Each structure stands twice: as C-alpha cells, then as structure tokens.
Amino acid sequence: MKYYIIAGEASGDLHGSNLMKALKQKDSTAEFRFWGGDLMAQQGGTLVKHYRDLAFMGFLEVAMNLRTILNNIKFCKEDIKNNRPDVLILVDYPGFNLRIAKFAKELGIKVVYYISPQLWAWKEGRVEIIKKYVDEMMVILPFEEDFYTKHGVHSHFVGHPLLDAISTLQNIDVEEFKKENNLNEKEIIALLPGSRKQEVEKMLEMMLSVRPYFKEYQFVIAGAPSLPKEFYQNYVDENVHFVSNKTYDLLRCSKAALVTSGTATLETALLNVPEVVCYRGSKISYAIAKRLVKNIKYISLVNLIMDREVVKELIQNDLNTKNLVEELKKVLEGEKRSQLLRDYELLREKLGGKGASENAADVILKV
C-alpha cells in the first residue's frame, strides 16, 4: 500500500519512524511518502518536507509566519492529489493536519489520526472536524479514549509509543559516554530547552542561570536535531557542554534534568530522571493561551496523566533563578527525589505495556 504520513515536530518524527517500521513488518508492499525528519528518512521512502521548516511556536510566531504556513498547506494538498496514497496518516500537529484531513477525505482517501491533538485542553470544537473527516482515531493517553467517547467518536487506545522507543535502548556505560563526549568526571544535570529556535533562545539563558549554585555538577545541553551545532556555541564554556542527537543517552547518564514543557517531560520521566518542568512563552502568546485553555491544571504530560502534581512546573513568571535553584536541589537529593522515582513507576503502569506502534499498524491495515 501507499502511505502518506505528516509529522510536523521532532516527537512526531520519532513516533512516525517507529510506526513506519511496524508497517513495513506487516506490509511487504509498503511505500512511504512523508513530511517528517531524519528518523523517518532512515526507514526509507520519500521525504517531502523536513519538520524544521514547519515548526512555529506560539500565536505571535504563527501570525508572523502565516504566509509560509499557508504555502505549505497548499503544497501539501497538491502533493497528495498528485500521488494519491491509499491512506493518509496524520501525527499530532493539528493546526496543519486537520486542514489536510478534510482535503484528503473529500478526495476519497482514507484518513487515520495517530496521536490525538490535545483537544481536551483547548479547541474542543475540533472534535467535529475529526467526526467528519477522520476514519480512525488512535490515542496514546489513557484518558483520551473517555474524552472521545463523551463526544460520540470511537477511538483506539493503542498505548504510548515512547515505551516502544525506550524499550529498545541498550544498557549504557556512563563513564564511556562522558569520555566519548569530552565531559568531565562531575555528575550531569541535563538541559532540554526544546527543539525550536525561539523556544531554545528563551529557555537556555534561564536554565543556565542556576550554574553558580551547582558548581559540583556539569551542565549538558541536549541539542535538537533541527538546529545546527553552531547555534549552541554561545552557551558552551568549561562547565557547560553540548551533545547532539543523543538526548536519551544523555538523560540516562544524568542525575537530574531541567526540561521545557512538551513530550520531553514524559521521555525524561520514563527514563527515570528526576526533573523540573520549565515553560515561558511570549507575553501575548501566554495571555491568549490562558484564555483558551479550559479545565487543565497542568502543562506537563507527566502530571496530566497522573492527574496530580508529580513533577514541579515553573511557568512564566514563576520560572526564575530562585525557584529553579530551590526545585532542582529538591530533585537532586532527599525525599522529593525518592517520591518522584516511586511516582514514575506508577506512571509507566498507567501507560500500559509496549506495542503502540504495532497496535497502530494493525488498525491502519484494517482501514
């Protein structure tokens, strides 16, 4: 079969690549055309556009890049029309993907959504678009199935694909990792500032402001594959290091982490690393988001899934050096650290076992 997949972010590239791998195992005739990144490209097929050309963060940034976004939508529609896939697979990225779903459905192409948009947080009205134009909805968070049932939409809880990605990791030698990456002997605090340029610029300076209070540790920045290494050089010195495309290995060698809100908060938890969650957007974007988001108490996936505060979230004005230092100290030593690790075990139980990619592939093949 001919598969057309659209993933617009780094996390979508990871999950899309594992889904492609599962589809190839079940469908020997699989042909792929996709929007994604390097991980999906490794599975073969034709990369139409890289997600680094698609990722715009916040309301203000989207408005400033509206022409580019509209041109991408137009180009995508033409590409689908010219290539006529058997099925269109959408991976999160709702602002773009829901427009494409409507277009593809009207062409008579089967539409599958893998990894639901977070409609339970905001823009709940988009459920009506999914009802009309999506043939199968696959969700990866346990509470999402109930959300769709409430709105009269049948969905499949397939499990969380991060468990698949993490289950394939081999044991790592911490000292060897340090040696290979020119790190010193100190314990590591990992910094995950995000994957978009605007996001990283906002977050890294704040994260690094805690350095004078943790001289016994070294800080290591997890570089995003979508950004060039040169971008990070202004932040690097004798006790601030940088590794690229090795985020999972870095986390597994770290004592704790400062993490920008997003999928990385869940990845960090599933890799058993105590963390502090950070978020600061532009004042305009944050003000708009606050008005639109309803009945959501948390921003991190860890806390949303557990329905209580497991990891500390420092948001907007609360994200300052004093609070960062205080919370980072708590997760490095003591009872807070021990409690976090116990909660992480419960989190893994809630997400179910591995196999999300295979379960999703089965649903797609039935369609």
Side-chain angles (χ1 to χ4, degrees):
M1 284 206 303
K2 291 167 66 178
Y3 303 89
Y4 199 107
I5 308 174
I6 304 175
E9 298 173 308
S11 58
D13 180 38
L14 170 65
H15 303 324
S17 68
N18 285 327
L19 177 61
M20 290 166 73
K21 185 177 179 181
L23 285 167
K24 286 194 297 184
Q25 291 171 349
K26 295 172 182 289
D27 177 7
S28 60
T29 66
E31 295 177 27
F32 298 105
R33 191 171 180 87
F34 57 92
W35 296 45
D38 299 339
L39 296 175
M40 292 173 75
Q42 288 171 17
Q43 294 298 324
T46 302
L47 174 60
V48 180
K49 267 191 186 288
H50 200 286
Y51 69 78
R52 71 169 69 94
D53 301 321
L54 309 174
F56 300 104
M57 174 192 170
F59 298 97
L60 188 60
E61 292 82 359
V62 167
M64 290 170 63
N65 291 280
L66 191 57
R67 179 176 291 183
T68 300
I69 294 167
L70 292 175
N71 284 338
N72 283 337
I73 290 170
K74 181 181 178 183
F75 175 77
C76 184
K77 288 178 178 179
E78 290 173 355
D79 195 55
I80 289 172
K81 190 173 182 179
N82 292 335
N83 288 278
R84 290 280 174 166
D86 295 303
V87 62
L88 171 67
I89 303 169
L90 307 171
V91 184
D92 199 359
Y93 198 49
F96 189 95
N97 276 340
L98 288 174
R99 291 172 182 245
I100 302 303
K102 180 177 185 293
F103 175 79
K105 187 67 175 173
E106 289 171 349
L107 284 181
I109 296 168
K110 292 286 185 183
V111 179
V112 174
Y113 221 120
Y114 178 48
I115 304 179
S116 167
Q118 294 178 352
L119 305 185
W120 35 266
W122 66 322
K123 296 194 176 180
E124 196 167 323
R126 283 177 165 176
V127 172
E128 296 305 315
I129 301 174
I130 287 170
K131 263 187 185 178
K132 281 185 182 178
Y133 304 116
V134 174
D135 294 290
E136 292 289 347
M137 169 59 72
M138 292 176 284
V139 301
I140 62 172
L141 300 174
F143 60 81
E144 289 179 322
E145 205 168 23
D146 292 336
F147 169 82
Y148 279 108
T149 298
K150 182 181 79 174
H151 287 280
V153 176
H154 177 67
S155 64
H156 302 265
F157 173 57
V158 294
H160 205 292
L162 279 180
L163 293 169
D164 291 352
I166 288 169
S167 71
T168 63
L169 298 175
Q170 297 179 342
N171 291 334
I172 189 166
D173 185 316
V174 176
E175 296 310 314
E176 189 63 30
F177 176 82
K178 289 179 178 178
K179 184 178 176 183
E180 287 175 1
N181 292 282
N182 299 313
L183 306 179
N184 59 47
E185 73 286 350
K186 294 179 180 178
E187 288 190 292
I188 296 169
I189 295 174
L191 305 180
L192 278 65
S195 60
R196 305 176 180 95
K197 184 180 177 184
Q198 307 105 305
E199 189 175 46
V200 175
E201 287 173 338
K202 278 190 178 80
M203 302 307 301
L204 256 184
E205 188 175 346
M206 176 53 65
M207 289 178 171
L208 288 170
S209 71
V210 306
R211 279 180 299 167
Y213 303 90
F214 298 95
K215 292 180 179 177
E216 68 274 32
Y217 293 92
Q218 60 182 319
F219 293 82
V220 184
I221 302 166
S226 56
L227 295 173
K229 291 181 182 179
E230 298 75 33
F231 172 78
Y232 294 93
Q233 292 313 304
N234 291 336
Y235 303 99
V236 174
D237 61 29
E238 69 279 357
N239 204 38
V240 178
H241 307 275
F242 162 83
V243 298
S244 185
N245 283 331
K246 298 177 182 176
T247 301
Y248 282 8
D249 287 349
L250 169 61
L251 284 170
R252 292 190 293 156
C253 295
S254 298
K255 182 78 179 286
L258 302 180
V259 187
T260 296
S261 177
T263 305
T265 63
L266 183 56
E267 292 173 308
T268 303
L270 293 177
L271 288 167
N272 229 31
V273 181
E275 64 182 306
V276 180
V277 176
C278 310
Y279 177 79
R280 178 179 287 170
S282 72
K283 288 182 179 178
I284 294 174
S285 292
Y286 183 71
I288 295 171
K290 241 188 146 181
R291 286 177 175 270
L292 293 176
V293 174
K294 299 175 182 178
N295 304 318
I296 299 298
K297 293 181 283 186
Y298 308 108
I299 63 167
S300 70
L301 284 171
V302 177
N303 292 344
L304 284 166
I305 294 164
M306 296 293 285
D307 197 26
R308 59 184 172 89
E309 186 181 85
V310 171
V311 296
K312 183 65 178 180
E313 301 177 351
L314 296 177
I315 306 169
Q316 214 65 5
N317 293 334
D318 288 337
L319 180 60
N320 55 54
T321 304
K322 178 178 176 292
N323 288 342
L324 264 181
V325 169
E326 185 180 323
E327 295 303 329
L328 185 54
K329 283 180 178 177
K330 289 178 184 176
V331 300
L332 283 168
E333 305 289 347
E335 176 53 29
K336 171 67 175 176
R337 179 183 180 88
S338 301
Q339 183 60 54
L340 260 183
L341 296 175
R342 290 194 293 270
D343 285 336
Y344 285 171
E345 289 181 26
L346 298 174
L347 174 72
R348 282 188 285 272
E349 289 176 18
K350 275 205 167 196
L351 289 174
K354 60 184 180 178
S357 303
E358 286 194 10
N359 293 337
D362 287 336
V363 172
I364 292 165
L365 287 168
K366 284 178 185 175
V367 170

